[in-house]
Amino acid sequence: MNWSSVGAILLALAVIIGAFGAHALQGRLDAYSKGVYETAVMYHFFHALGLLVVSFLPRIGALSAPRATWVCALLLAGVVLFSGSLYALAISGVRLLGAVTPFGGLAFIAAWVLLAYWLLAANG
């Protein structure tokens, strides 16, 4: 998979979804839902950017391609599960959707911990 393209697409989607929230949902969300939506967009941006950066690490020899794939896949899963569930929660108001969010958070944490471990192990 071309993780650099995935990162770029996720970043474009973050802009689109953020703009949608700022314009199309203006006045339609209560303060709680607006905060949830903004949190989803912020985490989406940060982790999509992280995915893009990680995708270049094999090209500079800082991380093997299989390890970068693991980190990128976990970041993608995190964006889908964490941000996706928060987007759905904010728009629908169905609080049960929030039960999915921690799994996305765990995927984010696993990605960053694995990356740190592998980078530290590589540099002894």
Side-chain angles (χ1 to χ4, degrees), residues 11-103:
L11 285 164
L13 285 172
V15 173
I16 292 165
I17 292 168
F20 175 77
H23 300 289
L25 297 178
Q26 186 177 20
R28 296 179 186 205
L29 299 179
D30 60 22
Y32 171 79
S33 296
K34 184 178 179 188
V36 167
Y37 195 91
E38 289 171 352
T39 297
V41 172
M42 180 180 65
Y43 275 78
H44 184 154
F45 263 114
F46 290 156
H47 291 88
L49 185 58
L51 192 154
L52 184 63
V53 169
V54 170
S55 75
F56 284 97
L57 295 180
R59 297 176 191 180
I60 63 170
L63 190 67
S64 72
R67 288 178 174 180
T69 292
W70 268 102
V71 174
C72 288
L74 284 166
L75 290 171
L76 174 61
V79 169
V80 171
L81 295 172
F82 186 90
S83 294
S85 66
L86 290 181
Y87 293 137
L89 168 62
I91 292 170
S92 72
V94 177
R95 304 262 176 165
L96 186 59
L97 292 167
V100 176
T101 308
F103 294 104

